[in-house]
Amino acid sequence: MSLNRRNFLRGAGVALALPWLESLAVAGPVASATPKRFLSVYHPDGVGLPLKSDPAWKDWSWFPRGGEKDFELTKVLDVLEPLRSEITIYSGLSHPAARKVHGHSNADQYLTGANIGGDGPYKNSISVDQVIAEHAGEFTRHASLVMSTNGGIGGPRGAQTQSYNREGRPIPAMNKPKQIFDTLFVTSGKDAHARLARSKSALDLLIENTRSLEKSLSKQDQQTLKQYLDAVRDTEVKLAKAQKWIDTPIPTIDTSKLNLQATPEEARLYFQTMYELIYLAFLSDSTRVATFQLGRENGEGPHDLLSKAVGLNGAHGLTHAVKQPDGWKNLGTYNRYQAEAFGVFVQRLKETPEPTGHGNMLDNTFAMHGSASSSFHLSRNYPIISAGGKNLGFTNGRYLKFGTGNEDNQAGAGIDTDAGWQSDAKVQEEALALLFTTLLQRFGVETDSFAGITGTLNRV
């Protein structure tokens, strides 16, 4: 009997997806291509950028010093030194539409680049992760995994999710480890077929009834109905996908490193568990696309507890206290922990051989970690790290500076008031959308633009 990616070993209550095995391959079609994976981790509130004249600049400024390959990491990022050859650090990138948007309102744009403005009417667009999910999602049970510490969607310009669908609507994020685990790895029960059939029947009737109303409605009501039907279509797509995968066994995985009851109050445990869930989702090929938002901009909530991981209180308040004693150090220490947690995840991927035999999992994964703010409330010069992607054509071990006029990252440095974001930019930056288009092309998406900006980012 031939075996493929969706065959399973069963025994003692365990069902594990088999990797591609050369010894079990049979003549005929070539084994499925090695998965290409994408992860974006977003942290709110930006990073520490003290002035060069400040004693804190030497140790606690986020961006490295030096050139493309001979860069030196400060204390904020030196936890990534063991992974130096696997990471790239970027400066001088941002979304043009966001450069004069207050830092409390910019997270919505990070993966979309949409011109949502700082107030007034709101319209977002599809996020880059969801473009990749549209391309690769048919190969996995879940098109994407959307996670955040706060959960749900938040509100316009106060996103609690990084992911937006083709209509620009936010995709609700999951924030409870047990909920995420059950979604990925727990079956729906013996009555799944019947419940799915009932849902499909009810949905068909709903669509038929609502469409019959359209001709008799005012233009405003027609627009409301359109938005409603868009949401219904989302459900229809999910049901179709559920039908496709309902007879495929869900793999059981090693849960020894999980604590599914962890909450942000147990900050380190929560970080570890959420990253472990992403790792297991990738390892089991349950999905190839994931986003994880470490809190929303400007708000109190679960994410504000994450700085407890380093013995500090109030993550958001750290950015407002940089001029107080040890202020830059405190913010830098929290940024350092964020980088450390990301590094542990990256190292895990590096240590895991790719099931298809093509390198390790990191070689086939492009993992981003970044924010839509640099200095205080400033939606410019995004602090971004990427890791992996060697088999996607990315060359790491570099610090890439883009734009002109801010080679030392001092534009906007040292500020702790709103004077920064309200001022006109005096330096030139490249559009982050250029990196996203490059990324999409390497994932096999045929496009030459993203967020209305044409072209790719050179040197990556």
Side-chain angles (χ1 to χ4, degrees), residues 35-151:
K36 297 177 180 179
R37 309 178 191 88
F38 173 78
L39 168 65
S40 174
V41 180
Y42 181 87
H43 65 91
D45 305 325
V47 297
L49 286 183
L51 289 167
K52 281 185 176 180
S53 57
D54 192 308
W57 177 81
K58 179 178 181 296
D59 290 334
W60 299 111
S61 185
W62 190 90
F63 287 102
R65 315 281 150 67
E68 179 176 329
K69 295 184 177 180
D70 65 347
F71 60 90
E72 177 185 351
L73 300 174
T74 69
K75 285 186 177 180
V76 184
L77 297 184
D78 66 3
V79 288
L80 296 176
E81 186 65 41
L83 288 163
R84 184 185 184 97
S85 63
E86 305 290 353
I87 64 171
T88 295
I89 300 169
Y90 306 79
S91 66
L93 298 177
S94 60
H95 289 306
R99 288 171 187 160
K100 291 203 72 173
V101 171
H102 191 287
H104 283 182
S105 305
N106 59 13
D108 303 44
Q109 300 166 300
Y110 180 63
L111 293 184
T112 72
N115 186 10
I116 63 171
D119 51 35
Y122 178 95
K123 173 65 176 175
N124 215 327
S125 58
I126 190 169
S127 53
V128 67
D129 63 296
Q130 291 305 299
V131 180
I132 297 171
E134 286 182 347
H135 179 74
E138 65 177 298
F139 304 114
T140 58
R141 184 183 297 272
H142 302 281
S144 67
L145 177 61
V146 181
M147 302 163 51
S148 75
T149 53
N150 293 40

Side-chain angles (χ1 to χ4, degrees), residues 24 111 227 285 362 387 395 441:
L24 296 177
L111 293 184
Q227 293 174 350
D285 205 24
L362 183 61
T395 303
Q441 290 180 356

Side-chain angles (χ1 to χ4, degrees), residues 199 309 311:
S199 296

